[in-house]
Amino acid sequence: MNALVRFLPRQRAVAALITGVLLALGVALYAALPDQMAIHWNAAGEPDNVVAKPIAVLAMPAVVVFMSVLFEASSIDIGERIVGSLAMLMLLVVQVIVFGANLGYDVSIVPITLGLAGGMVAVSVWVQRR
């Protein structure tokens, strides 16, 4: 755990690692993914937004890079860098869930995303109070 705590403030390195993992996953799974991919689900867990496969595969890495640039452009403290790194890790988990759902796995989208969001809020509050 201590190594993770030391790594998370290195937000640029976290962003590079997550972007690389996202791109590698996208390349590895590309042929198996459908041409139109669900990227959003409603509260009942039903897909309500689809996009073309290249967009679904490349959008999340682009969001992580954009977040990293925003964090670098602003003067933020160590707690905010940790929260930003955790948010990027959450985006990695979300992308894995999206890939899994589009590959036909039975993924409980709503409880997982609610848990992730709640966990992110809890960790953010904890980090900011430290």
Side-chain angles (χ1 to χ4, degrees):
M1 180 69 173
N2 207 6
L4 181 63
V5 172
R6 285 194 312 266
F7 182 63
L8 287 175
R10 299 178 182 169
Q11 189 271 322
R12 192 181 317 174
V14 172
L17 177 67
I18 291 172
T19 301
V21 170
L22 287 169
L23 291 172
L25 277 172
V27 168
L29 298 173
Y30 196 83
L33 292 167
D35 290 336
Q36 292 291 313
M37 292 180 56
I39 59 163
H40 191 269
W41 288 259
N42 62 24
E46 301 161 345
D48 63 0
N49 193 6
V50 296
V51 297
K53 178 171 33 177
I55 294 170
V57 169
L58 295 174
M60 199 65 81
V63 168
V64 171
V65 169
F66 181 70
M67 283 177 63
S68 179
V69 169
L70 285 178
F71 278 108
E72 289 295 320
S74 63
S75 58
I76 57 174
D77 66 18
I78 190 168
E80 291 168 337
R81 285 197 306 271
I82 291 171
V83 170
S85 293
L86 290 171
M88 290 178 202
L89 285 168
M90 185 179 73
L91 293 177
L92 171 63
V93 172
V94 168
Q95 185 73 330
V96 168
I97 292 167
V98 168
F99 285 159
N102 281 281
L103 289 170
Y105 292 98
D106 186 23
V107 179
S108 300
I109 298 288
V110 175
I112 292 171
T113 53
L114 287 174
L116 283 172
M120 187 67 200
V121 170
V123 169
S124 298
V125 170
W126 178 75
V127 166
Q128 292 299 323
R129 291 188 177 189
R130 284 188 71 196

